[in-house]
Amino acid sequence: MMPFIEIDHVDRIFLLPDGGRYIALKNIELKINQGEFISLIGHSGCGKSTLLNMISGLDKPTFGGVIMEGKEITEPGPERMVVFQNYSLLPWLTVRQNIALAVNRVLRNLPKPEQEKIIDDNIALVGLQRAAHKRPGELSGGMKQRVAIARALATRPKVLLLDEPFGALDALTRGNLQERLMEIVQESGVTCIMVTHDVDEALLLSDRVVMLTTGPEAHIGQVLEVPIPRPRHRLEVVNHPSYYALRGEIVYFLNQQKRAKKVGAVSQFAGAMSGNGLEKINLNLGFIALSDCAPLVIAKEKGFFQKHGLDQVNLVKEPSWQAIADGIRERRLDGAPMVAGMPLALTLGMGGKTPLPMITALVMGRNGNAITLGKKFAEAGVKNLEDLKTKLTETPDQVSTLGMVHPASMQNLLLRYWLASGGIDPDQDVNLIRLPPPQMVANLKAGNIDGFAVGEPWNSYAVKEDLGYVIATDLDIWDGHPEKVLGVREEWVNKYPATHLALVKALLEACEYCDDRRHRREIVDYLAQPQYLGVAAEYISPGFIDAYDKGNETEPEMLLQFNQFYVQQSNYPSRSEGLWILTQLARWGYIDFPKNWLEIIERVRRPDLFGEACRQLGWPDLEGDHHNVNLFDGMVFTPNDPVGYIKRFTIHRDIRVAEIMIDPVDSPSK
C-alpha cells in the first residue's frame, strides 16, 4: 500500500557565505501512514524543524523529495497546516477573527453560514467559547496555543505539523493541552508530525518516535514504535509496563548523540602536504589472493591511484586475513580491502584484543562467495541443505569439518546462518575451523576438511579439480550482501584526511571500471599474474566472465551479479548492513552486543566520507540507509530492534548486551 506521506532520500544543503556548504540533513527516508502521529526528536541543530518545513512546503529539499498522496510537495498548501511555538496570531484580531481569517481564505467556496459553524465548532473544540471575543494580548500562553491549533484544524487539513507547540508553556498548561490534542486528533483522524525535545511528550502522543542524529549530515538514527494502546491518558501511559523501557531507549539514544565524537572530519589542512595537496602519497595496501581484489589491482594497473595523486602505492600480498589484521595493528599496512565485519571486529577488540578504532567509507565488492562440499557428500546424495541435515543426523559420530576464512567474514556469518536455518547448529553439529582462502583447496584434497565457505577462485578451483561441488552460492543466501570493504585506522584518517579521500576516489573509479563487463577479460588476465592470484585464468573466469559451474548435475549458469563492484549503488557503506553484522557476531558469542550500537556503527561505517568522495568526483551519493535486510529464509532484519531480531532465531548462543566504550582517537592539531 502506498504510504500517505513519503520522505524520499531527502538531503538539505545550505550554502555558506564563504562559498562552502553545510549539509544539514542527509538521506532522510521515512514513510508515514494516514492518521499516524509521528514525533521528531533530537538535539538542537539536528534539522528537525528543517524537515518539518520541507513537509509543509515552506522549504525545499536540495535532493530527493517529499511525496503526499502520490504528488510531490513543492509549496505550502491548506491540506498541511503548521502550528508554531510562537502562536503566530494577529494581535489586533480576536480569537474568532484569527480563526475566521484562515477559514474565509481556505474554505471561501463554502456558504457563509457553514463557514460560521466551522469557526464556532473549532472554538468549542479547544474550549475557548468564553474567550472568543478576546484579543491575543488578553490570553494566557496556553490559550494562545489553543487558538493556533483551532485555526489550523478549522481549515480541515489532512496533516497537522507541530513545531514544538508546547515548548514555551508551563508544565500544567502543557499537560492539559497535550491531553486535549490527543482527543482532537482521535476525533478528527488527522495525520500529525511534531517536533519536540520532550521525551515524555513524544511517548505520550506518538505512534512512532523518529530519532535524528546530531548534524552535520543528520539522518534517522533509530525509529521507536510506541505500542501503548489508544485512547491514552497521562497516568495510564506512565504506568504502562513498557513505558520506562521506551523512555530509557530514547534518553540513551540522545545521550549517545551528546557524547558522540565527530571523528574523521574531512579536512584539507591536517599534516604536511605534498605538492598535489595530499599529506601522504606512499601507501602500503594489503590484499588476499581472491578474485574480488580486482578493484585494488585495477586501481594500480590502470593508473587510478596516480590520477588522484597517490604516486607510490605498494600492493602487499598477505597470506591470511589474520595477517591483514596484524598488518593494520602494527601499522605495517596503511589499509586494505577487508572482510566486511573486520573493521567492526577490530574496533570492538573482538577476541580479547585491544580495541583499534577503524573506519570504512567504501564497500569494494558484493557477493562472490560459495559453500563447497567434498565429493563424499555428492556420493551420499546431498543436493541441498535438507539433505545435508539428514546426512549429518545419520552419522552423528562423524563430525564434519568445514573451513571458513575469519570469524568476522561474511563467509563465516552466512555459512552459519545457512546451516542454522536448516536446523544445523554450526558449533555442535559440525566443526568450523579458520583457514586462509588460498589453503582451502589443499586442505580439502588432503582430507583435513570436508568443505568450506570462501570467495573465488577457490570454489571453482575445487570444482575443476573434481574435489568438490558448490551446494550454495551467497546469491542463494543473501543476494547483494557486502563482501569486501576498505578498512583503515581511524587515527590514520584523522592524520591523512585528503589522502584517505584520494584513496576512496581512486577505488571508486576502479570499482566502476570492474563492473563494465567489456573489461572483465582484461581484469582476469591481470588477476592471473603471479603477484596477484597466481592461478590460471580458467579458475578465475567462472562467475566473473563465464558461466558458473557448480560441479553438480546442473548446467553451468551465467550469474551476472556474482561479482558486483559498482552497479546498484554497491559502494555505499550502509549502517544497517553493519548492524546486521553486529547481530550475527553477537548471535554466535563472538562479542557482547553493544548497547551503544548506534555509536559504534556511526563511528566505523562512514557514509559522510563516502559522500564527500562522490561529490569530489562529481558523482551522486544518494542512497537510503535505514532499511530492512531480507535473507533467503524470510527472516526480516529490522534495524530498530536488533536484539529482538537475534532472539527470534531458534539457534543462537546466550545473548549478552553491554555498553562498549572505545577510547576516542583525537585528530592531530592543525
Side-chain angles (χ1 to χ4, degrees), residues 372-377 398-403 431 443-444 447-452 467:
T372 294
L373 297 181
K375 296 293 285 187
K376 71 174 186 178
F377 286 105
Q398 301 174 18
V399 178
S400 296
T401 298
L402 303 176
N431 179 34
N443 277 274
L444 183 64
N448 298 329
I449 57 176
D450 303 296
F452 50 72
L467 297 172

Side-chain angles (χ1 to χ4, degrees), residues 170-209:
D170 63 88
L172 183 59
T173 304
R174 182 167 60 246
N176 290 334
L177 264 182
Q178 288 166 348
E179 294 273 0
R180 190 68 191 116
L181 177 63
M182 283 192 290
E183 294 171 8
I184 292 169
V185 169
Q186 191 83 12
E187 292 170 15
S188 64
V190 68
T191 302
C192 291
I193 305 169
M194 180 179 71
V195 166
T196 182
H197 282 99
D198 189 323
V199 173
D200 297 296
E201 179 175 79
L203 283 175
L204 175 66
L205 299 176
S206 309
D207 297 305
R208 285 188 293 161
V209 180

Side-chain angles (χ1 to χ4, degrees), residues 28 41-42 46-48 51 210-214 219-221 253 257:
I28 303 295
I41 197 166
C46 73
K48 303 183 297 296
L51 181 55
V210 177
M211 295 176 264
L212 295 173
T213 63
T214 304
H219 55 272
I220 295 174
F253 171 88
Q257 292 304 305

Side-chain angles (χ1 to χ4, degrees), residues 253-477:
F253 171 88
L254 295 172
N255 286 338
Q256 282 188 82
Q257 292 304 305
K258 186 181 294 184
R259 69 172 179 251
K261 185 176 185 293
K262 289 297 176 182
V263 294
V266 178
S267 169
Q268 299 179 5
F269 306 103
M273 296 291 185
S274 66
N276 55 18
L278 303 185
E279 308 92 352
K280 181 178 173 66
I281 59 174
N282 303 331
L283 303 183
N284 290 321
L285 303 176
F287 75 98
I288 301 292
L290 290 160
S291 300
D292 58 11
C293 73
L296 196 71
V297 172
I298 288 303
K300 172 79 170 178
E301 296 289 346
K302 303 301 291 186
F304 291 116
F305 287 137
Q306 284 190 322
K307 175 183 175 181
H308 291 283
L310 301 169
D311 294 333
Q312 299 179 42
V313 176
N314 182 33
L315 303 188
V316 184
K317 189 174 181 178
E318 297 287 349
S320 68
W321 289 114
Q322 187 57 54
I324 291 280
D326 291 343
I328 293 292
R329 281 190 175 278
E330 296 160 2
R331 290 165 171 72
R332 178 172 54 82
L333 298 175
D334 293 287
M338 295 180 170
V339 288
M342 185 178 283
L344 287 164
L346 288 168
T347 299
L348 294 171
M350 194 175 88
K353 302 283 189 180
T354 302
L356 178 65
M358 298 289 295
I359 279 176
T360 178
L362 179 70
V363 175
M364 293 179 60
R366 294 178 182 269
N367 305 325
N369 304 320
I371 300 170
T372 294
L373 297 181
K375 296 293 285 187
K376 71 174 186 178
F377 286 105
E379 294 163 359
V382 175
K383 298 180 179 180
N384 52 43
L385 183 56
E386 185 179 356
D387 293 341
L388 180 60
K389 168 68 173 174
T390 301
K391 173 63 177 174
L392 296 177
T393 302
E394 290 173 351
T395 56
D397 56 328
Q398 301 174 18
V399 178
S400 296
T401 298
L402 303 176
M404 56 85 177
V405 302
H406 189 275
S409 68
M410 293 301 286
Q411 290 91 336
N412 177 47
L413 299 181
L414 290 182
L415 172 62
R416 286 173 169 272
Y417 194 103
W418 180 76
L419 290 170
S421 70
I424 302 169
D425 191 313
D427 294 315
Q428 297 179 17
D429 300 330
V430 294
N431 179 34
L432 299 187
I433 64 170
R434 186 197 304 193
L435 289 170
Q439 295 181 21
M440 291 292 187
V441 175
N443 277 274
L444 183 64
K445 186 174 184 178
N448 298 329
I449 57 176
D450 303 296
F452 50 72
V454 74
E456 293 296 344
W458 307 113
N459 299 287
S460 294
Y461 201 116
V463 168
K464 287 189 176 294
E465 295 296 313
D466 199 31
L467 297 172
Y469 67 105
V470 172
I471 192 169
T473 71
D474 49 10
L475 299 180
D476 302 317
I477 304 171

